[in-house]
PDB file of all heavy atoms in Angstrom:
ATOM      1  N   MET A   1      90.316  98.621 110.579  1.00 83.00           N
ATOM      2  CA  MET A   1      90.228  98.339 109.164  1.00 83.00           C
ATOM      3  C   MET A   1      88.989  97.491 108.813  1.00 83.00           C
ATOM      4  O   MET A   1      88.698  96.546 109.577  1.00 83.00           O
ATOM      5  CB  MET A   1      91.435  97.628 108.666  1.00 83.00           C
ATOM      6  CG  MET A   1      92.694  98.332 108.792  1.00 83.00           C
ATOM      7  SD  MET A   1      92.879  99.717 107.639  1.00 83.00           S
ATOM      8  CE  MET A   1      94.033 100.785 108.304  1.00 83.00           C
ATOM      9  N   GLU A   2      88.276  97.844 107.763  1.00 89.00           N
ATOM     10  CA  GLU A   2      87.066  97.182 107.452  1.00 89.00           C
ATOM     11  C   GLU A   2      87.311  96.367 106.226  1.00 89.00           C
ATOM     12  O   GLU A   2      87.853  96.928 105.202  1.00 89.00           O
ATOM     13  CB  GLU A   2      85.986  98.220 107.271  1.00 89.00           C
ATOM     14  CG  GLU A   2      84.576  97.797 107.292  1.00 89.00           C
ATOM     15  CD  GLU A   2      83.923  97.600 108.583  1.00 89.00           C
ATOM     16  OE1 GLU A   2      84.565  97.775 109.650  1.00 89.00           O
ATOM     17  OE2 GLU A   2      82.769  97.098 108.656  1.00 89.00           O
ATOM     18  N   CYS A   5      85.959  97.887 102.591  1.00 98.00           N
ATOM     19  CA  CYS A   5      85.866  99.282 102.548  1.00 98.00           C
ATOM     20  C   CYS A   5      86.992  99.738 101.561  1.00 98.00           C
ATOM     21  O   CYS A   5      88.248  99.463 101.776  1.00 98.00           O
ATOM     22  CB  CYS A   5      86.087  99.962 103.875  1.00 98.00           C
ATOM     23  SG  CYS A   5      86.517 101.675 103.852  1.00 98.00           S
ATOM     24  N   ILE A   6      86.641 100.313 100.469  1.00 98.00           N
ATOM     25  CA  ILE A   6      87.685 100.802  99.492  1.00 98.00           C
ATOM     26  C   ILE A   6      88.757 101.686 100.041  1.00 98.00           C
ATOM     27  O   ILE A   6      89.839 101.626  99.574  1.00 98.00           O
ATOM     28  CB  ILE A   6      86.937 101.484  98.227  1.00 98.00           C
ATOM     29  CG1 ILE A   6      87.888 101.777  97.103  1.00 98.00           C
ATOM     30  CG2 ILE A   6      86.103 102.705  98.676  1.00 98.00           C
ATOM     31  CD1 ILE A   6      88.255 100.630  96.163  1.00 98.00           C
ATOM     32  N   PHE A   7      88.389 102.591 100.968  1.00 98.00           N
ATOM     33  CA  PHE A   7      89.307 103.519 101.380  1.00 98.00           C
ATOM     34  C   PHE A   7      90.374 102.743 102.408  1.00 98.00           C
ATOM     35  O   PHE A   7      91.452 103.142 102.458  1.00 98.00           O
ATOM     36  CB  PHE A   7      88.693 104.763 102.125  1.00 98.00           C
ATOM     37  CG  PHE A   7      88.138 105.688 101.038  1.00 98.00           C
ATOM     38  CD1 PHE A   7      87.370 106.893 101.578  1.00 98.00           C
ATOM     39  CD2 PHE A   7      88.220 105.529  99.781  1.00 98.00           C
ATOM     40  CE1 PHE A   7      86.832 107.747 100.677  1.00 98.00           C
ATOM     41  CE2 PHE A   7      87.723 106.429  98.810  1.00 98.00           C
ATOM     42  CZ  PHE A   7      86.955 107.588  99.306  1.00 98.00           C
ATOM     43  N   CYS A   8      89.804 101.766 103.198  1.00 98.00           N
ATOM     44  CA  CYS A   8      90.692 100.950 103.981  1.00 98.00           C
ATOM     45  C   CYS A   8      91.714 100.253 103.103  1.00 98.00           C
ATOM     46  O   CYS A   8      92.902 100.105 103.423  1.00 98.00           O
ATOM     47  CB  CYS A   8      89.891 100.008 104.886  1.00 98.00           C
ATOM     48  SG  CYS A   8      89.243 100.776 106.331  1.00 98.00           S
ATOM     49  N   ILE A  11      94.272 102.580 102.150  1.00 98.00           N
ATOM     50  CA  ILE A  11      95.203 102.858 103.268  1.00 98.00           C
ATOM     51  C   ILE A  11      96.300 101.650 103.311  1.00 98.00           C
ATOM     52  O   ILE A  11      97.434 101.861 103.458  1.00 98.00           O
ATOM     53  CB  ILE A  11      94.392 102.921 104.577  1.00 98.00           C
ATOM     54  CG1 ILE A  11      93.678 104.209 104.577  1.00 98.00           C
ATOM     55  CG2 ILE A  11      95.343 102.842 105.792  1.00 98.00           C
ATOM     56  CD1 ILE A  11      92.590 104.226 105.667  1.00 98.00           C
ATOM     57  N   HIS A  47      88.903 103.616 110.674  1.00 98.00           N
ATOM     58  CA  HIS A  47      87.556 103.423 109.859  1.00 98.00           C
ATOM     59  C   HIS A  47      86.489 103.976 110.768  1.00 98.00           C
ATOM     60  O   HIS A  47      86.104 103.263 111.633  1.00 98.00           O
ATOM     61  CB  HIS A  47      87.363 101.932 109.486  1.00 98.00           C
ATOM     62  CG  HIS A  47      86.074 101.686 108.708  1.00 98.00           C
ATOM     63  ND1 HIS A  47      86.066 101.843 107.409  1.00 98.00           N
ATOM     64  CD2 HIS A  47      84.828 101.491 109.081  1.00 98.00           C
ATOM     65  CE1 HIS A  47      84.815 101.681 106.944  1.00 98.00           C
ATOM     66  NE2 HIS A  47      84.016 101.495 108.020  1.00 98.00           N
ATOM     67  N   ILE A  48      86.106 105.261 110.431  1.00 98.00           N
ATOM     68  CA  ILE A  48      84.983 105.800 111.012  1.00 98.00           C
ATOM     69  C   ILE A  48      83.893 105.918 109.863  1.00 98.00           C
ATOM     70  O   ILE A  48      84.375 106.396 108.738  1.00 98.00           O
ATOM     71  CB  ILE A  48      85.255 107.221 111.559  1.00 98.00           C
ATOM     72  CG1 ILE A  48      86.372 107.124 112.509  1.00 98.00           C
ATOM     73  CG2 ILE A  48      83.953 107.899 112.057  1.00 98.00           C
ATOM     74  CD1 ILE A  48      86.943 108.532 113.015  1.00 98.00           C
ATOM     75  N   GLY A  98      81.461 104.679 102.632  1.00 98.00           N
ATOM     76  CA  GLY A  98      81.312 104.560 103.999  1.00 98.00           C
ATOM     77  C   GLY A  98      82.520 104.600 104.880  1.00 98.00           C
ATOM     78  O   GLY A  98      82.696 103.830 105.757  1.00 98.00           O
ATOM     79  N   HIS A  99      83.383 105.536 104.547  1.00 98.00           N
ATOM     80  CA  HIS A  99      84.561 105.698 105.363  1.00 98.00           C
ATOM     81  C   HIS A  99      84.735 107.262 105.534  1.00 98.00           C
ATOM     82  O   HIS A  99      84.899 107.887 104.320  1.00 98.00           O
ATOM     83  CB  HIS A  99      85.775 105.064 104.814  1.00 98.00           C
ATOM     84  CG  HIS A  99      87.129 105.213 105.579  1.00 98.00           C
ATOM     85  ND1 HIS A  99      87.861 104.046 105.883  1.00 98.00           N
ATOM     86  CD2 HIS A  99      87.698 106.266 105.959  1.00 98.00           C
ATOM     87  CE1 HIS A  99      88.994 104.476 106.529  1.00 98.00           C
ATOM     88  NE2 HIS A  99      88.935 105.860 106.616  1.00 98.00           N
TER      89      HIS A  99
HETATM   90 ZN1  LIG B 202      87.351 102.101 105.838  1.00 71.82          ZN
END
Side-chain angles (χ1 to χ4, degrees):
M1 294 293 160
E2 194 85 1
C5 173
I6 183 81
F7 288 176
C8 282
I11 291 162
H47 181 87
I48 301 169
H99 180 129

